[in-house]
Amino acid sequence: MKHLLDTTTLDREQAVRLLDTAAEFSGVANRSMPKLPTLRGVTMVNLFFEDSTRTRLSFEAAAKRLSADVMTFQVQGSSVSKGESLKDTAQTVEAMGADIIVMRHPASGAAHRLAHSGWVEASIVNAGDGTHQHPTQALLDAATLRHRLTQDSRGGDLSGLHVAIVGDIAHSRVARSNVSLLTTLGARVSVVGPAELMPTGVEDWPVEVRSDLDSVIEDAPDALMMLRIQRERIKGEHQPASGDYVRNYCLTTERADRLPSHSLVMHPGPMNRGVEIASDVADSPRSVVLEQVRQGVAVRMAVLFNLWGGEK
Ligand code: CP
């Protein structure tokens, strides 16, 4: 694998291999010396044109656990403010030795553009491009589902699990990445939200489209993945009124209590407590929000290993 740009191009075998590798790497964090020499001599650059807490830090942690050198670029304070282009910025970091560029960008398709432009030789990892894709988020979500719901009984097989993704589907790269990866892995996926937060063409996705969260909860999903409304991406469009949204789509304690005992509550973060998820639910035993973060480091180790070390 030269690049990781989206989950639509991962077949089941590739996805399972990445998840199996992540499961092996997840033990590294518990060692007295949580480091492997695997990527010694490799340089990874975080090229972030949008804000991030989890993705940027966990790529950094993953690279360091594999002994890679890490450089971090954030658009704030960079020469992008002086008009420097993506091409010139990417070529500049490659000239400093970047072997792997992990890029987050507000434009959908930016990672594909960088990977296929011929501007740089480095491997490209998409860390989120506009509303399009965020493949390592979907992989860490699948790793969490495997770890919590399938290890004992199913050997990591997600076939037949029902995952409901709730909220702003239209503007969510997390939803798009999860729909393609989870369905490739055999899960049943529902997308749930008000009509104004559903994307054009959603009826062609391999999912059930639902608007009534309470009826979805009656169906006893194995996991609910709660998403925030991405107000920063909703410009000049109708925005749902906060009161109506909270009333109809917030995962309250009352709603969570109607889920089966094994059902997980997930959220990619950042959470807006009291909007899409009640604070008590976010902190409850069925919430795996912090486990998702932990799995993120192992999954990103697996991706970096696969891009570079795995093939050599
Ligand atoms: N889930 C996620 O991408 O979080 P960050 O924006 O903090 O990286």
Side-chain angles (χ1 to χ4, degrees):
M1 192 166 70
K2 167 77 174 164
H3 308 293
L4 178 63
L5 304 176
D6 57 46
T7 53
T8 60
T9 50
L10 285 178
D11 62 26
R12 188 182 176 107
E13 191 187 336
Q14 288 171 310
V16 167
R17 192 164 54 240
L18 281 169
L19 294 169
D20 286 345
T21 307
E24 289 181 34
F25 280 140
S26 64
V28 174
N30 301 324
R31 294 184 183 185
S32 55
M33 174 64 81
K35 231 173 166 60
L36 298 172
T38 316
L39 295 190
R40 195 176 284 158
V42 174
T43 298
M44 185 200 82
V45 176
N46 270 329
L47 196 59
F48 275 59
F49 293 86
E50 267 189 354
D51 294 342
S52 168
T53 297
R54 283 148 285 269
T55 310
R56 187 171 58 76
L57 286 176
S58 68
F59 266 111
E60 190 173 324
K64 286 178 173 171
R65 282 188 193 158
L66 293 172
S67 302
D69 294 314
V70 178
M71 294 193 287
T72 291
F73 165 97
Q74 280 198 264
V75 70
Q76 296 90 347
S78 76
S79 287
V80 170
S81 65
K82 302 171 202 163
E84 191 157 44
S85 67
L86 174 60
K87 173 182 174 179
D88 288 335
T89 304
Q91 288 183 336
T92 298
V93 300
E94 188 170 67
M96 292 179 199
D99 300 299
I100 300 171
I101 296 176
V102 177
M103 184 170 79
R104 172 168 288 189
H105 199 283
S108 299
H112 278 265
R113 176 88 175 117
L114 184 57
H116 300 302
S117 59
W119 297 335
V120 291
E121 292 292 315
S123 287
I124 309 300
V125 182
N126 183 2
D129 61 326
T131 61
H132 178 225
Q133 280 273 325
H134 189 355
T136 56
Q137 177 68 45
L139 284 163
L140 74 86
D141 291 335
T144 305
L145 289 165
R146 278 179 123 206
H147 184 239
R148 291 296 288 255
L149 294 179
T150 73
Q151 282 308 313
D152 295 338
S153 54
R154 299 154 154 259
D157 185 4
L158 299 186
S159 300
L161 287 185
H162 179 199
V163 179
I165 307 175
V166 184
D168 180 2
I169 309 299
H171 303 96
S172 177
R173 53 199 180 202
V174 174
R176 285 174 179 77
S177 303
N178 264 298
V179 166
S180 48
L181 182 65
L182 289 173
T183 53
T184 295
L185 293 171
R188 171 186 157 209
V189 180
S190 303
V191 293
V192 189
E196 65 265 36
L197 293 180
M198 285 293 163
T200 307
V202 70
E203 57 280 359
D204 298 326
W205 292 15
V207 299
E208 289 172 55
V209 182
R210 309 277 291 266
S211 58
D212 181 1
L213 176 58
D214 290 303
S215 76
V216 173
I217 287 174
E218 297 312 312
D219 288 352
D222 298 291
L224 283 181
M225 194 178 288
M226 308 308 296
L227 302 177
R228 72 183 175 92
I229 300 178
Q230 304 212 5
R231 295 201 184 272
E232 73 276 21
R233 300 192 201 282
I234 308 179
K235 304 241 166 63
E237 295 172 39
H238 175 68
Q239 298 211 12
S242 289
D244 289 347
Y245 188 83
V246 171
R247 199 162 30 257
N248 293 322
Y249 295 103
C250 180
L251 186 58
T252 58
T253 304
E254 188 277 327
R255 285 189 170 117
D257 285 348
R258 284 191 273 126
L259 288 165
S261 58
H262 76 277
S263 298
L264 303 179
V265 172
M266 309 176 78
H267 196 304
M271 293 186 280
N272 290 142
R273 289 171 182 252
V275 181
E276 71 272 12
I277 187 167
S279 205
D280 286 350
V281 176
D283 297 332
S284 69
R286 66 164 86 244
S287 166
V288 291
V289 170
L290 293 178
E291 168 142 12
Q292 290 171 267
V293 174
R294 279 189 287 276
Q295 292 286 349
V297 178
V299 156
R300 285 159 182 142
M301 289 172 78
V303 167
L304 296 175
F305 173 74
N306 213 281
L307 287 177
W308 194 262
E311 290 192 357
K312 292 197 159 57

